[in-house]
Amino acid sequence: MLSKLVLAATLGFAAVNAQSTFQFSETFPEPYVVPQPKQAWLDLISNATISNAPIIQESGGVLQQPSNVQGDPNCVWTFTQCLREDDLHTCPVGKFSVTFDDGPSEYTPKLLDYLDSINEKVTFFVVGGQVIQYPEILKRAYDAGHEIAMHTWSHSYMTTLTNEQLVAELKWTEQAVFEVTGHSPKFIRPPFGNIDDRVRDICKALGFTPVIWSVDTNDWYLNEQSGSFNPDWINGNVTQWASTNTTSGGMSLSHDLYNVTVDAALEYLPILSDAFDLETVGQCNNQQAYKEGAGNVNGSSTAQPSASTSASASDSDSSVSAQDADDESSATRVFATGMIGFVLAGTAAFLTA
């Protein structure tokens, strides 16, 4: 299992070696480090009603469930998979949203090539540090009509951060995406699904909507447990989801950070495409994905953000017990694999989504 330090070092190394000619107008924080907010961003939540849910402590990669709290009054998804009314997590019957976390990466173009070939659109939940290293890849995804959403700046457990740090995680990521695409995402997926009512209230005050998922490919096992994890298990599980297309919809969790996870997507996407109408998160939930409106949902936008306007547009926005068991879904997952039932148990993982 990779520790957070190893993950940060791995991704940081990739970032250093990324070649980009894109010119940002903003000086961004260090990738994968919890950033500091601008005062103007803190002013956006100064009059907001924010839950007094306690900051959850983390020790050795394990979130510590508060011992003096009965039940789950703060709706912590990590501990109980609790959802609030405004949390998006699935699609209507017959519709399915395929989502990818942690990018953009050097492997994202291969996924984009394939999606172009089958004319399907997905939602990318991007990490701020990856955006500033691979802006051209993000721009390509946006221009092709894929939906761009946020996955924070540092990929930290959100409930462990202060209000000020949460604002910084969200607004720096929004700023980076805006400079590249000219649009500010409305959707935010908390890393590891780690969200509570305090985090939700801050998201709402800043104009963001939380997004979780209904089914998990657990594709990251392909990278972390390649010797014991059979790729066929993913296709078997996806086939089971596809068999429910007349009675349910869904929203899957996948990743475009690794070559093996992208290769897996190329295998299971046809199964989902044949069974469901594939739509982005915003489309299947009848919500606009960007604060400025529909954005480039049909791949026809010609917006070219300029350095002189990028920063001002974002800054003026006024709308606005888990174990470290390598399973970000924080829940037991059963893989249907034909004649094999493979059960993976876990309660909060580090290295996915």
Side-chain angles (χ1 to χ4, degrees):
M1 181 192 71
L2 286 181
S3 67
K4 287 189 175 182
L5 181 61
V6 173
L7 175 65
T10 300
L11 297 178
F13 179 80
V16 167
N17 287 278
Q19 301 297 317
S20 174
T21 59
F22 189 91
Q23 297 297 310
F24 285 97
S25 65
E26 181 68 74
T27 300
F28 286 96
E30 182 180 352
Y32 294 96
V33 174
V34 178
Q36 294 298 311
K38 296 181 179 181
Q39 182 58 50
W41 296 343
L42 295 178
D43 292 342
L44 296 174
I45 68 167
S46 60
N47 296 318
T49 300
I50 299 174
S51 170
N52 63 354
I55 294 176
I56 295 176
Q57 300 302 307
E58 177 189 356
S59 177
V62 179
L63 294 179
Q64 305 299 307
Q65 192 163 12
S67 59
N68 60 341
V69 176
Q70 297 296 317
D72 188 18
N74 299 307
C75 193
V76 185
W77 191 93
T78 310
F79 296 137
T80 66
Q81 286 71 67
C82 175
L83 294 166
R84 293 301 190 196
E85 182 179 359
D86 292 336
D87 295 344
L88 305 182
H89 72 284
T90 191
C91 295
V93 173
K95 297 181 183 295
F96 199 97
S97 184
V98 181
T99 71
F100 292 90
D101 290 11
D102 292 351
S105 79
E106 61 184 301
Y107 306 111
T108 305
K110 179 164 62 173
L111 176 60
L112 293 174
D113 288 343
Y114 179 73
L115 291 168
D116 286 345
S117 73
I118 63 173
N119 193 31
E120 296 286 8
K121 309 302 179 187
V122 302
T123 300
F124 289 99
F125 289 90
V126 299
V127 173
Q130 294 294 106
V131 171
I132 62 173
Q133 299 300 331
Y134 297 99
E136 289 89 354
I137 295 175
L138 180 69
K139 186 66 164 61
R140 177 187 167 184
Y142 175 80
D143 286 346
H146 300 292
E147 195 170 78
I148 308 302
M150 303 191 306
H151 200 40
T152 75
W153 185 266
S154 70
H155 203 278
S156 300
Y157 291 109
M158 296 187 79
T159 63
T160 68
L161 304 179
T162 66
N163 291 1
E164 292 76 17
Q165 289 172 327
L166 288 170
V167 170
E169 290 275 346
L170 296 166
K171 293 297 290 184
W172 278 117
T173 307
E174 177 190 21
Q175 178 76 21
V177 173
F178 183 88
E179 286 215 29
V180 176
T181 68
H183 284 80
S184 303
K186 290 183 65 177
F187 301 140
I188 164 67
R189 172 169 284 160
F192 324 108
N194 181 232
I195 193 170
D196 64 6
D197 286 340
R198 179 176 66 93
V199 177
R200 290 183 180 92
D201 288 341
I202 291 175
C203 287
K204 182 177 181 180
L206 296 176
F208 304 122
T209 300
V211 180
I212 309 295
W213 57 86
S214 64
V215 289
D216 189 347
T217 65
N218 286 283
D219 59 351
W220 60 273
Y221 272 95
L222 295 171
N223 185 70
E224 290 307 299
Q225 300 187 17
S226 59
S228 60
F229 189 83
N230 188 336
D232 290 340
W233 289 333
I234 294 179
N235 286 346
N237 209 36
V238 171
T239 299
Q240 184 184 47
W241 304 339
S243 70
T244 68
N245 64 336
T246 60
T247 58
S248 69
M251 184 181 298
S252 62
L253 171 62
S254 306
H255 303 84
D256 59 324
L257 184 61
Y258 302 111
N259 190 43
V260 286
T261 57
V262 169
D263 284 344
L266 271 55
E267 291 290 330
Y268 63 72
L269 273 165
I271 302 173
L272 294 172
S273 181
D274 288 343
F276 295 98
D277 290 331
L278 299 191
E279 295 187 348
T280 64
V281 170
Q283 288 172 332
C284 82
N285 284 279
N286 294 315
Q287 294 193 23
Q288 290 187 340
Y290 305 100
K291 292 181 178 180
E292 298 82 6
N296 194 35
V297 292
N298 294 317
S300 59
S301 173
T302 57
Q304 296 292 333
S306 65
S308 62
T309 60
S310 296
S312 60
S314 182
D315 288 348
S316 65
D317 174 27
S318 58
S319 63
V320 272
S321 103
Q323 302 300 317
D324 191 15
D326 281 356
D327 176 10
E328 181 177 14
S329 63
S330 303
T332 299
R333 299 297 179 191
V334 180
F335 284 81
T337 63
M339 297 180 65
I340 300 175
F342 182 71
V343 181
L344 296 172
T347 49
F350 181 68
L351 193 57
T352 74

